[in-house]
Amino acid sequence: MSQQIAPPPRVLTGTQKAAVVLMQMSAENAARVLAQFSEAEAEEIAAEIVRLNRVDAETAESVIAEFHDIALSGRRTPLGGRGVAADLLEASFGAERAAGVMDRVTFTAAGRSFEFLEDIEAGDLVNLLDGELPETAALVLAHLDPQQGSAVLAGLDRSRSVEIARAIAVMGTATPEAIGVVAETLRARVGTSGVPRRAATVGGLQPLLNIINRADVATERAVLDGLTERDPMLAEEVRARMLTFEDLVTFERRDVQRILRGLDAAVLARAMKGAPAPVVEVVLGNVSDRNREILQAESASTGPVRASEVEQARAEVVRSIRALEADGEITLRRGDDDYVD
């Protein structure tokens, strides 16, 4: 009797059922069907194919019967997994788009291993990770929501936060087994139960940048200063790739207008204090006449402002930009991006 890996049909979601149906089909036919979905829908289905991996014949037959499409001849165990999902996505959307979708699927699946940490306060997470190797703590923080990760980083002492920040930046691919061991150990400590999902992830600068760009100014400065002492080249690379208030000049006009629309005038006026002329021109050139008057009046009324207040205001602008980017409302562009005619 084969071991049942997928859940019984009565608890399968619609996305899971769609994944099971595609797993019964030839790669060519499945690719044609998958191409009818939006990219977001295809991404969800691909994620379920990865997670299901193998489906027992009884579950597969029940799902197929529900769709009234085909009747299985004999019992077989359809294959899922990363390879199947990757092949279907490539056949449906092409190699480049498929690679991007699979990267997101992999990262999302990896993050689910640590879902049980989402509701834990940052201070409790600091205590939970106390005594763990920097590499272990880095693995966990890289999979947390960046806002939660930055709060944890801010709660650590300076030397510890620098060690973990560096470990995130230089971290390579973690095996599913390693992630499983870490997640299961932490799960046991917080008194929960269950087996972590299989996952894989890649560390690197982006998870660290996501965390730092959501941290407060003091935490950002402490981490960067510490990295400068320990690994100057890495610190320079992090600084070069960090989003700053001055990066407003790199955005498309419509994105600048969307960013400015959601900002408090007082915060924006403080952020503009001492800013380079091109940045000031971009801001004033992308607000209404009325808002331009408000900004100029706000700036004149406040007079000289402490440098720390300016930094804090600019950090708030950066956090707003990151939030809009995460919601897909704007697109970040870096100076080293390549363009093809």
Side-chain angles (χ1 to χ4, degrees):
M1 183 176 179
S2 60
Q3 181 183 5
Q4 181 168 308
I5 296 177
R10 65 178 180 277
V11 297
L12 286 177
T13 66
T15 304
Q16 288 171 326
K17 290 175 182 178
V20 170
V21 170
L22 288 179
M23 289 161 61
Q24 316 299 311
M25 303 169 69
S26 68
E28 293 77 15
N29 289 335
R32 281 197 289 270
V33 173
L34 196 63
Q36 303 307 307
F37 292 93
S38 69
E39 186 169 326
E41 292 169 335
E43 183 175 328
E44 291 182 8
I45 293 172
E48 292 300 341
I49 292 175
V50 172
R51 284 192 286 272
L52 287 171
N53 198 26
R54 286 178 177 269
V55 180
D56 67 275
E58 290 182 359
T59 298
E61 289 173 0
S62 297
V63 173
I64 293 299
E66 184 178 341
F67 278 96
H68 301 289
D69 282 338
I70 56 174
L72 296 178
S73 57
R75 293 177 178 268
R76 61 191 182 93
T77 305
L79 293 176
R82 181 181 175 86
V84 175
D87 289 343
L88 289 179
L89 288 169
E90 183 171 343
S92 302
F93 300 109
E96 185 175 350
R97 287 177 65 192
V101 171
M102 280 305 299
D103 284 345
R104 294 194 296 272
V105 167
T106 299
F107 188 80
T108 299
R112 286 192 172 91
S113 294
F114 297 97
E115 277 184 332
F116 64 96
L117 298 177
E118 290 179 355
D119 297 326
I120 298 180
E121 295 292 334
D124 293 328
L125 281 176
V126 170
N127 294 331
L128 185 67
L129 296 173
D130 185 42
E132 295 290 348
L133 292 172
E135 292 77 12
T136 302
L139 181 67
V140 176
L141 262 62
H143 288 90
L144 297 179
D145 175 82
Q147 192 69 44
Q148 187 182 23
S150 68
V152 173
L153 205 63
L156 299 168
D157 62 64
R158 182 175 182 275
S159 61
R160 174 79 164 159
S161 65
V162 171
E163 288 180 343
I164 293 174
R166 183 179 185 279
I168 294 173
V170 301
M171 182 170 58
T173 301
T175 65
E177 293 74 20
I179 293 178
V181 168
V182 172
E184 189 172 7
T185 300
L186 295 179
R187 192 185 293 271
R189 288 187 189 174
V190 297
T192 57
S193 60
V195 180
R197 298 179 186 270
R198 293 190 64 190
T201 186
V202 176
L205 288 178
Q206 195 55 52
L208 177 60
L209 292 169
N210 290 340
I211 291 173
I212 290 179
N213 279 323
R214 287 164 174 80
D216 58 78
V217 173
T219 300
E220 174 188 316
R221 185 184 293 115
V223 169
L224 291 176
D225 288 349
L227 282 177
T228 301
E229 294 173 7
R230 294 198 52 181
D231 196 332
M233 292 183 63
L234 177 60
E236 184 61 30
E237 187 173 1
V238 170
R239 283 192 173 91
R241 293 184 56 182
M242 281 184 63
L243 181 68
T244 67
F245 178 68
E246 287 77 10
D247 286 330
L248 272 174
V249 299
T250 69
F251 287 92
E252 298 286 348
R253 183 178 178 86
R254 64 177 178 275
D255 287 345
V256 174
Q257 293 170 352
R258 176 64 189 90
I259 293 166
L260 298 179
R261 202 161 54 237
L263 294 175
D264 180 82
V267 171
L268 186 55
R270 283 197 301 274
M272 292 169 62
K273 289 282 188 180
V279 178
V280 175
E281 290 173 6
V282 165
V283 173
L284 296 180
N286 283 282
V287 295
S288 65
D289 292 341
R290 173 60 179 157
N291 286 336
R292 188 180 304 113
E293 292 175 3
I294 292 174
L295 279 175
Q296 291 170 336
E298 183 72 33
S299 180
S301 66
T302 55
V305 177
R306 295 180 197 268
S308 60
E309 294 181 19
V310 174
E311 288 184 356
Q312 195 63 51
R314 292 179 180 180
E316 189 170 334
V317 174
V318 168
R319 284 193 290 271
S320 178
I321 293 173
R322 281 294 181 186
L324 291 172
E325 188 267 340
D327 291 339
E329 295 192 40
I330 62 173
T331 302
L332 300 186
R333 294 193 306 163
R334 307 306 305 175
D336 56 356
D337 283 346
D338 292 326
Y339 292 87
V340 179
D341 292 329

